[in-house]
Amino acid sequence: MTHPQVICMGEILFDRLSDELGKPLETVEFWTDYPGGAPANTACGLVKLGIPTAFIGCIGEDQSGDQLVELLTKTGVNITGVQRHSSAPTRIVYVVRDAKGDRSFAGFGERKTTEFADTYLQSEQLPKDLFKTAKFLVLGTLELAYQPSQDAILTALKLAKNYKVKLFVDINWRPMFWQDPDQAIKLILNFVQNADFLKLTDEEAELLFNTVDPEAIAKQLQIQGVFVTAGERGCTYYLGGNYGKIPAFSVNVVDTTGAGDGFTAGIIYQFCQLGIESINNPQIAEKIVRFASAVGALTTTKPGAIAAQPTLTEVETFLEKFL
């Protein structure tokens, strides 16, 4: 068994996506469930690109949980860190879409955000051996919203520091996961001080740092790399001292779910292939972000986050068209 080079930790869930564009939550009758959760999306994206990756998270001992374990296993993700909760259910997120197909999160059905299995991730059950050989730990911020999973994340941070594992944080701001969104911002700002690399959307950058300039954010946090993504407006980055802007690739967009997680997978794939020291070269820094943007773009061309993720060959073939 290959030792995973990357550990993705946090939520794995089902996005229950409305099949009826432009309808409000109350009137939607038809839904399709897609497996999701940013860290799980990134883990699957990395494996499809050829990087051995582990996922750590907690799901229910229910049918949804079984389906997600099966998906991770089939994709080839290492699941030694997957915990099952005997009574709390696997999380389902309702997602409605406007007339253009753009998504907005519409809550958790009849349940409170604190009732789901992912909130019960236990720090004492983390597989420490994974950290001994990993190069990167990928964390979002949603699981900071609940005490047990927050403890598990802080334990993972300590393990990462002990074993010199680089920390990549993807903000993934979703106010509805938090009971007190104001307290959340303080907690997140505190948490990102630990990052080596940070990915966030332009809205998240405004919210947390009052700027969309990746260089300003990188200097404020004193970290090696910041990526600010803005959907069809592309991405700006500050990586190893190099500032740049990559326009978005023009593709036929079917579903934007998981595009950002595909982008994260693309960045970390390149880090694993080229080595972190290579980011100081401006051409290589640009190549890394272009590759990641292509992974993100290709992820939007089919429905669902994980099902749509490209293989390495697909990304390389796609990029050849733009040489």
Side-chain angles (χ1 to χ4, degrees):
M1 178 85 180
T2 340
H3 292 297
Q5 291 183 42
V6 185
I7 301 167
C8 298
M9 178 171 172
E11 67 284 352
I12 183 167
L13 45 80
F14 276 103
D15 286 318
R16 185 158 284 174
L17 217 60
S18 162
D19 294 333
E20 300 170 80
L21 299 190
K23 276 197 175 182
L25 177 70
E26 304 70 43
T27 64
V28 176
E29 288 177 57
F30 300 102
W31 304 85
T32 303
D33 285 359
Y34 290 102
N41 292 344
T42 298
C44 291
L46 276 159
V47 169
K48 288 186 185 184
L49 292 170
I51 300 293
T53 303
F55 174 75
I56 296 176
C58 184
I59 46 185
E61 282 182 3
D62 48 18
Q63 197 189 347
S64 297
D66 293 344
Q67 285 174 300
L68 292 172
V69 167
E70 192 187 338
L71 173 73
L72 290 173
T73 309
K74 209 169 75 189
T75 307
V77 176
N78 175 309
I79 57 167
T80 49
V82 173
Q83 302 174 18
R84 306 291 298 261
H85 195 280
S86 57
S87 57
T90 301
R91 190 182 291 271
I92 291 175
V93 184
Y94 286 80
V95 184
V96 293
R97 297 192 282 176
D98 66 15
K100 286 198 318 215
D102 289 333
R103 307 163 306 146
S104 56
F105 293 91
F108 305 103
E110 304 294 301
R111 296 185 183 274
K112 291 196 192 77
T113 185
T114 49
E115 289 179 33
F116 295 98
D118 57 276
T119 69
Y120 294 101
L121 186 63
Q122 299 300 304
S123 50
E124 60 281 0
Q125 288 179 38
L126 297 181
K128 295 191 175 62
D129 283 358
L130 288 179
F131 290 83
K132 292 177 184 169
T133 50
K135 294 180 186 169
F136 293 94
L137 171 63
V138 181
L139 292 173
T141 61
L142 297 183
E143 296 301 317
L144 293 170
Y146 318 102
Q147 203 54 59
S149 54
Q150 183 188 120
D151 293 345
I153 279 181
L154 298 179
T155 303
L157 270 187
K158 283 195 192 110
L159 287 165
K161 285 209 168 95
N162 287 351
Y163 294 111
K164 303 203 168 19
V165 179
K166 293 275 187 193
L167 177 62
F168 190 108
V169 174
D170 173 7
I171 296 291
N172 200 24
W173 171 244
R174 303 272 183 271
M176 64 181 201
F177 276 74
W178 296 80
Q179 289 175 293
D180 177 357
D182 294 337
Q183 174 232 349
I185 288 173
K186 224 163 54 185
L187 202 63
I188 290 170
L189 282 169
N190 203 11
F191 172 68
V192 296
Q193 305 292 329
N194 300 288
D196 296 289
F197 299 95
L198 180 66
K199 174 198 160 282
L200 65 180
T201 64
D202 48 352
E203 290 108 335
E204 290 163 347
E206 274 299 349
L207 175 75
L208 294 167
F209 300 101
N210 301 316
T211 174
V212 294
D213 177 7
E215 184 171 356
I217 297 168
K219 291 191 165 159
Q220 188 181 325
L221 295 172
Q222 296 180 312
I223 64 176
Q224 288 177 283
V226 173
F227 309 91
V228 179
T229 59
E232 61 207 23
R233 294 192 305 287
C235 164
T236 50
Y237 64 91
Y238 186 73
L239 187 56
N242 303 295
Y243 174 85
K245 187 172 174 34
I246 302 280
F249 289 102
S250 173
V251 291
N252 201 355
V253 176
V254 173
D255 176 13
T256 57
T257 313
D261 311 321
F263 177 91
T264 298
I267 294 285
I268 294 168
Y269 166 82
Q270 289 282 7
F271 284 175
C272 289
Q273 292 300 97
L274 302 170
I276 286 295
E277 44 302 330
S278 69
I279 64 176
N280 303 323
N281 173 320
Q283 281 81 25
I284 291 180
E286 184 183 358
K287 178 185 172 229
I288 289 171
V289 185
R290 264 178 71 78
F291 180 91
S293 300
V295 179
L298 284 168
T299 306
T300 69
T301 58
K302 296 180 200 151
I306 293 171
Q309 291 165 337
T311 61
L312 182 58
T313 312
E314 287 169 333
V315 182
E316 287 172 343
T317 308
F318 176 76
L319 281 170
E320 275 165 15
K321 289 191 264 184
F322 295 92
L323 289 177

